[in-house]
Amino acid sequence: AAEQAQLSAARARAEADAIERAERLAQRLSLVAGVSEDEVTIDRERRRAVVRANVLDGASLDAYRTLELRISATEPDWRVEVIPPVASLPAIEFAEDEPTESGMRAIELIVWASQRLDLPIELAGYRGEMARATELLAERGVNVTTQYRRGVLQARWADAN
């Protein structure tokens, strides 16, 4: 009976710790997203936390992604998602028919934003660059449409016409 009581007490402590940890995660996410804690979805069973961020003055898509990565790093057992507001997508720089290092960072940011917002992307630019960027985005699960035009390869939300 004493052993059973110890096990029950240990389970109760573990449960209380898990609840407290989830509450702290919700507090941190609400702060970085500019929303109330009620607007943070916490699923303790699946260890998933999701928040739709408000527009934060001066914050780019990259800032929201960075906030998500920082919180995720402190909660390795959780899947943390910060859903950003719809914002401008970066240009994709190319050199010799391949994205530059900066261009690849832009592609990764576009992938992240498209996944979080569940929105398709439209690319506009030169055919060769557009074809390569479309291939890279499609490999990562992004729905892409294209439009030929001169100039730097630019991505935008497909619905934003």
Side-chain angles (χ1 to χ4, degrees), residues 69-139:
L69 290 171
R70 285 184 182 164
I71 290 179
S72 293
T74 67
E75 300 294 339
D77 296 336
W78 283 73
R79 181 173 167 208
V80 175
E81 292 184 15
V82 174
I83 301 170
V86 174
S88 296
L89 295 169
I92 304 170
E93 295 177 15
F94 270 75
E96 300 176 20
D97 297 329
E98 285 296 321
T100 63
E101 189 176 318
S102 170
M104 282 307 297
R105 281 193 307 272
I107 285 172
E108 293 305 324
L109 180 60
I110 292 166
V111 169
W112 175 83
S114 176
Q115 290 171 344
R116 291 297 175 273
L117 291 163
D118 194 25
L119 290 174
I121 302 299
E122 179 181 89
L123 293 176
Y126 289 113
R127 281 191 179 92
E129 293 175 353
M130 213 170 25
R132 181 65 179 132
T134 299
E135 176 185 351
L136 291 167
L137 290 165
E139 285 171 359

Side-chain angles (χ1 to χ4, degrees), residues 37-100:
E37 284 182 47
D38 296 346
E39 296 177 71
V40 179
T41 301
I42 297 287
D43 182 343
R44 288 186 308 123
E45 295 262 327
R46 291 182 179 84
R47 292 188 177 194
R48 184 168 184 252
V50 180
V51 65
R52 184 172 295 278
N54 280 335
V55 174
L56 303 174
D57 285 342
S60 64
L61 284 174
D62 194 42
Y64 293 99
R65 183 175 183 220
T66 299
L67 291 169
E68 179 186 280
L69 290 171
R70 285 184 182 164
I71 290 179
S72 293
T74 67
E75 300 294 339
D77 296 336
W78 283 73
R79 181 173 167 208
V80 175
E81 292 184 15
V82 174
I83 301 170
V86 174
S88 296
L89 295 169
I92 304 170
E93 295 177 15
F94 270 75
E96 300 176 20
D97 297 329
E98 285 296 321
T100 63

